[in-house]
Amino acid sequence: MAKKNIDWANLSFEYQPTDMSYVSQWKDGVWDDGQLVADSNITLNECACVFQYAQTCFEGLKAYETVDGKVVIFRPDLNAQRLADSARTLEMAPVPEDKFIEAVKQVVKANIDYVPPYGSGAALYIRPFEFGSSAVIGVAPADEYQFRILVTPVGPYFKEGVKPIYIRVCDCDRAAPHGTGHIKAGLNYAMSLHNIVEAHKLGFAENMYLDAATRTYVEETGGANFLFVTKDGKLVTPESDSILPSITRRSLMIVAEKYLGMEVEQRKVRFDEVKDFAEIGLCGTAAVISPIGKINDHGTDIEVPSGMDEIGPVLGKLRETLIDIQEGRLEAPEGWIVEIK
Ligand SMILES: *Cc1c(COP(=O)(O)O)cnc(C)c1O
């Protein structure tokens, strides 16, 4: 077997079919053993709960090559736990953690030639998802579910070096207090599509959402958590029940404290203190950290001191350190790197 003939460095973040996907069905109260399938289409009844009542949730992680040529995934136990939390919140059957990890390993192995080579900056994106597959017309959870995993190769997030972005404060809300902001569900994304399309039209890369109840505190963007660095070098990240618990953010907090000796704080962050931070970034699986250079607040720009040219020194070091850990150039904490091949 040999790597697919793909221009890895110029791949974008777009879906392309691969050889195999994983499928398991939940019926009569149990998950079947699951299998790999070559067909990337799904046939479902038109009244399936996923179509009518959006009963679906997902995860996102990457398989990539390390410096010593192994194919690995990063902290999949946390993706498994988060998918199960999302499923329970939506009254769906949770996928057991060991079944999730085994399935991810199987589907990556079956598509191993799509894992980009070390150093390309590209990765094999893994998208586990679950949905209510049986028909319902009265509002109720489905009584059958599918857990599937598709994989697709994606290019480096920053093709020409890490570039700060310009974002805006959004007047719409992402998640209600005591709602579903803390789970990775398609429903949280559906209502963000209009806001992001509008932001892009106006020249902004992302929307900063504030807390829906008081519009006083910073929450997150449509798909990434915020990181702030104070002028005296402390890492601060917002605390809220309606933020998605990013695995990248949770890992960076540990890296900041244990590898870089930084002080780390998770607390409510008022929007009116944003102007006082030295560096601001967004974090998630895709980019690890995207620096923010400017934030537009209803026509007025808040200029982040680290500027629009490059990532600031603290977030730069943090990003580099996590990537060194992920790619095997620095020793990882126990259990963070799971080897596939
Ligand atoms: C997936 C996601 C993130 C990032 O989470 P990671 O586990 O770091 O990839 C942040 N916010 C939202 C809303 C998300 O859906």
Side-chain angles (χ1 to χ4, degrees), residues 3-80:
K3 294 226 181 270
K4 299 284 174 184
N5 187 16
I6 293 173
D7 181 6
W8 306 105
N10 290 310
L11 267 179
S12 57
F13 200 89
E14 257 160 51
Y15 170 78
Q16 60 169 294
T18 47
D19 294 343
M20 290 289 179
S21 298
Y22 173 91
V23 189
S24 180
Q25 321 239 21
W26 189 88
K27 202 177 164 178
D28 301 325
V30 287
W31 286 108
D32 68 14
D33 287 341
Q35 56 175 324
L36 293 167
V37 296
D39 189 354
S40 48
N41 294 299
I42 304 175
T43 302
L44 287 177
N45 185 278
E46 63 190 354
C47 213
C49 198
V50 58
F51 299 134
Q52 306 309 326
Y53 303 122
Q55 197 186 23
T56 180
C57 54
F58 67 97
E59 274 304 320
L61 65 163
K62 306 188 277 199
Y64 53 91
E65 250 182 46
T66 59
V67 64
D68 46 1
K70 291 178 186 144
V71 173
V72 303
I73 47 180
F74 183 72
R75 308 190 77 184
D77 51 328
L78 298 187
N79 294 101

Side-chain angles (χ1 to χ4, degrees), residues 132-209:
S133 53
S134 60
V136 291
I137 193 73
V139 177
D143 43 38
E144 291 173 19
Y145 294 92
Q146 271 189 45
F147 166 48
R148 299 181 71 106
I149 308 176
L150 68 86
V151 298
T152 192
V154 294
Y157 192 86
F158 294 108
K159 290 201 174 69
E160 284 140 21
V162 181
K163 268 298 199 200
I165 56 171
Y166 183 26
I167 69 169
R168 68 157 184 184
V169 179
C170 190
D171 281 329
C172 298
D173 298 315
R174 189 190 86 90
H178 320 295
T180 55
H182 63 294
I183 62 166
K184 214 166 172 73
L187 59 92
N188 291 329
Y189 279 79
M191 46 64 63
S192 76
L193 295 175
H194 173 69
N195 302 339
I196 194 67
V197 167
E198 189 181 78
H200 288 166
K201 269 190 207 149
L202 296 169
F204 305 109
E206 286 292 345
N207 288 304
M208 171 186 267
Y209 290 105

Side-chain angles (χ1 to χ4, degrees), residues 93-165:
V95 176
E97 183 173 322
D98 53 345
K99 179 181 179 75
F100 177 100
I101 293 173
E102 206 37 58
V104 170
K105 286 183 176 170
Q106 262 187 48
V107 72
V108 173
K109 275 188 192 145
N111 295 285
I112 203 83
D113 299 338
Y114 290 93
V115 178
Y118 171 74
S120 63
L124 184 67
Y125 185 74
I126 305 166
R127 168 55 61 86
F129 60 109
E130 184 183 345
F131 54 88
S133 53
S134 60
V136 291
I137 193 73
V139 177
D143 43 38
E144 291 173 19
Y145 294 92
Q146 271 189 45
F147 166 48
R148 299 181 71 106
I149 308 176
L150 68 86
V151 298
T152 192
V154 294
Y157 192 86
F158 294 108
K159 290 201 174 69
E160 284 140 21
V162 181
K163 268 298 199 200
I165 56 171

